[in-house]
Structures are given as structure tokens and as C-alpha cells.
Amino acid sequence: MAGFASMLWLGLTAAVAANQRRLVFNPTVEREVQSPRSSGHRTRPVVLRAADGTRLCGWLMTPKIPGPHPAVVYFGGRSEEVSWVVRDAGKLFPDMAVLAVNYRGYGESHGDPAEIHMVEDGCMLFDWMASRAHVDARRIAVVGRSLGSGVAVQVAKERPVHSVVLVTPYDSILAIAKRKFRVMPIEYMLRHRFESIKYAPALKAPTYVLRAASDDVVPHSHTDQLVAKLAQLCGDDIVPESDHMNIPYLEGTQNRIAAFLRSQFGKPLAEAAAAGSPGADALPASAASSAPIPAPLIASVAIDGAPAPLLPVPADPIVVPAIGVGPALAVLAAPLSSELPLVHK
């Protein structure tokens, strides 16, 4: 009997080790919203290339009034395809530029999800937004939901983020996994740990936490551990009548996020810097420089879901702002100043 139990334990341990990617990530390929458009923004699909050449697909939303504007980079949850963010951006992020890109393996993005890639890609997305002419690079927030809260925390540690919103965040995926697989040596098996609690004390940006009233995925005790370590906690609210799945869609959640970001973005930079947010001196050096990207790496995108013709390839390299992630990055989204028209809703 003991031998059978040992074999069963070994078998379960091997199964968990072999399938941990599926346990941590659950990529959703189908769009949640088939033709996403924001009522308060110009909406354009974008395709970006990560440093290793992987294609990442998502949407860029810009206010209809000329900028520069404060901006948001959004990171979704374990099973989340981010097209819904486009639909709700008018309420969630009013008067802000917004970038919502699917992780590798999610939506139309290529590749396979992994913690290291999510964080690297997240830093690239922040840098790309900071290089946009319509964005105030000193006022870029990161918003992360569930699994994406771990991405947002690590990006905020690596980049001069203005403010942070964490929706149903956790201390670490490792801690949650250890709670679920109590009898297994999970700490020796799990590669994608998302240990936000390790990075929380280093965050300099004002941070707002939102919890679900009922959460059977991230128990409040795991959020408590993270909150206790956040260096610049500005708020910790429970959204009434919410659970782990419906919380981002609720009006109460969206109103709270919009109010927090408006409040933070509305503060003078000197005041924000005193509170812990980066000011003008904290901008990446790369934001003020430029580097050539060979023209063949520029490709076409669709505008508001409609097919667009291939852009003409100029003879000389196109110069775009350097974003500090190395020459391997190829930006496939046409610049906002391009002759390719934006389609208004």
C-alpha cells in the first residue's frame, strides 16, 4: 500500500511539473469582443515585435483631442483576451491613451506564455508608449488584473511608472500553488513564480489595490501579504458584489480605477515625485534619443478592424524613438503621423 501511495505521489508530482505552464496560463485565442472600438478614443489595432521577433497583437487607443496625454498600459489575467478593454476604455481610462496587447499565445499574439517573456514584453510596451508623440512619458500608469498584477508589479519595478492599479493581486503564484498542492514540493517544480511580494517594497509609484468581495481564486489572505509590503499604497478597496471573474466589468470597479488615475495624473509632477512617482528626471535616457529601424521591418496594420494595404517601403530607414530594448525590436504599428488614416467611430 505504501509503495502504491509513493508511486501515485510521484506520478502526480511528475504530472504537475510537466503541465505547469497549463496550470499557470490558460491562453484564450478567441476575441471577447469581435470588433472592438472605444467610444471615447480613436482605436487602432497594432502589431509589435518583441526583442526575439515574436509578434504581439493588441490595440492602441488615443483620445480624440490632441495630446500629449497621460497613458495606461494594461496587463490581463490568466484566461483573459484583452479586446474587452477597448470596448470599456471610454469608462475605464477617460482622456488617457491606452495600450492593451495580448500576451504571447493569447488572442492573435504568437509564441508561448512565460513569466520572463511577459515581463520583458511588458517593459517593451511601456517603452513603446513612452516614445509616442501623443503620450506624456512622465505620466504612464500600469494596470494589472489577477495574473497581470504580477506583470504590472515587475514592470513598475523596472520602469519609471507614474502610478499602479492592481486588481485582485496576489503575493506570489508560488504561494498560491503551495496552498493548492500542499503535499508536493512545488517550490522545486514551479518555474513561473510571479513573486510580487519580493518586488513590492521597491515600487516607488502610488499603488491602488482592488479586491473582489468574493474571491475563490486569490484569497484575501494572499492579497493581505502583498499589501503589507507595498511601499506606496494609496488605497485598498473591496468592490461590492464582485467575484474574481466579473470584477473588471463592473461599473463600481471601472469608476474607481478611472477616479484614481485621474486623481494621480492631475497632480503636479513635483507633488507626484514627492509622493514617490517619477518626475521628469526619471525618464529613461532612451526616450529622448532615436534609432533607425530598417524599412523592411515596417508592416501594415488594420485600422478599426478593416484591412489596410501594405505601406510603401521607403528607400531610407525610418527613424523612430529608441525605446531601450535593443535593435532587435521592430515596431510594426504605423506611426500616428502616418498618412494611413485613422477611422473615427
Side-chain angles (χ1 to χ4, degrees), residues 288-306:
S289 62
S290 63
I293 289 180
L297 294 178
I298 306 297
S300 65
V301 295
I303 303 301
D304 281 76

Side-chain angles (χ1 to χ4, degrees), residues 45-46 51 55 62 75 83 100 130 140 168 174 191 252 274 276 301 304 335 345:
V46 295
R55 291 167 56 93
T62 55
F75 301 107
S83 59
I140 303 179
T168 60
L174 175 61
R191 296 193 304 272
V301 295
D304 281 76
K345 182 176 178 181

Side-chain angles (χ1 to χ4, degrees), residues 57-344:
C57 302
W59 292 267
L60 173 66
M61 292 141 276
T62 55
K64 296 177 180 179
I65 300 174
H69 297 280
V72 173
V73 181
Y74 178 82
F75 301 107
R78 172 178 178 264
S79 303
E80 183 177 335
E81 192 281 324
V82 299
S83 59
W84 75 270
V85 176
V86 183
R87 179 197 63 199
D88 292 4
K91 293 180 179 179
L92 269 167
F93 310 119
D95 304 315
M96 307 168 201
V98 185
L99 183 62
V101 174
N102 280 306
Y103 301 131
R104 298 180 185 217
Y106 289 67
E108 297 171 8
S109 294
H110 294 186
D112 296 313
E115 178 181 6
I116 186 171
H117 294 316
M118 287 181 173
V119 175
E120 290 175 350
D121 295 344
C123 290
M124 179 271 288
L125 297 176
F126 179 93
D127 293 343
W128 188 80
M129 278 296 270
S131 73
R132 301 297 90 194
H134 62 278
V135 167
D136 182 349
R138 299 167 298 178
R139 291 185 171 94
I140 303 179
V142 291
V143 177
R145 172 197 175 194
S146 191
L147 180 69
S149 70
V151 181
V153 165
Q154 293 191 54
V155 171
K157 174 180 173 292
E158 298 295 331
R159 293 296 187 268
V161 168
H162 182 277
S163 41
V164 180
V165 177
L166 305 176
V167 182
T168 60
Y170 46 82
D171 48 356
S172 75
I173 293 296
L174 175 61
I176 293 176
K178 289 174 72 173
R179 181 190 187 104
K180 186 173 182 178
F181 302 102
R182 295 180 183 273
V183 299
M184 296 182 183
I186 201 73
E187 62 270 25
Y188 300 108
M189 301 155 52
L190 191 65
R191 296 193 304 272
H192 313 287
R193 299 179 173 225
F194 291 95
E195 295 181 279
S196 296
I197 195 168
K198 288 174 53 176
Y199 311 112
L203 299 195
K204 298 179 180 179
T207 304
Y208 182 40
V209 171
L210 285 171
R211 311 183 191 214
S214 174
D215 198 330
D216 57 359
V217 177
V218 179
H220 283 194
S221 59
H222 286 276
T223 305
D224 291 339
Q225 296 295 320
L226 176 68
V227 164
K229 296 291 185 179
L230 287 169
Q232 297 290 336
L233 182 67
C234 289
D236 179 7
D237 290 345
I238 296 176
V239 179
E241 301 181 5
S242 63
D243 57 37
H244 192 83
M245 301 305 295
N246 72 5
I247 186 170
Y249 310 108
L250 298 180
E251 184 177 358
T253 304
Q254 297 186 359
N255 288 342
R256 284 172 170 84
I257 292 174
F260 171 75
L261 291 174
R262 274 179 160 168
S263 172
Q264 293 301 316
F265 288 146
K267 294 178 180 179
L269 287 175
E271 179 182 344
S277 286
D281 294 338
L283 288 175
S286 59
S289 62
S290 63
I293 289 180
L297 294 178
I298 306 297
S300 65
V301 295
I303 303 301
D304 281 76
L310 285 174
L311 296 176
V313 178
D316 298 323
I318 295 176
V319 178
V320 298
I323 55 180
V325 291
L329 174 72
V331 181
L332 295 191
L336 290 183
S337 59
S338 167
E339 295 180 0
L340 197 61
L342 286 170
V343 176
H344 297 260

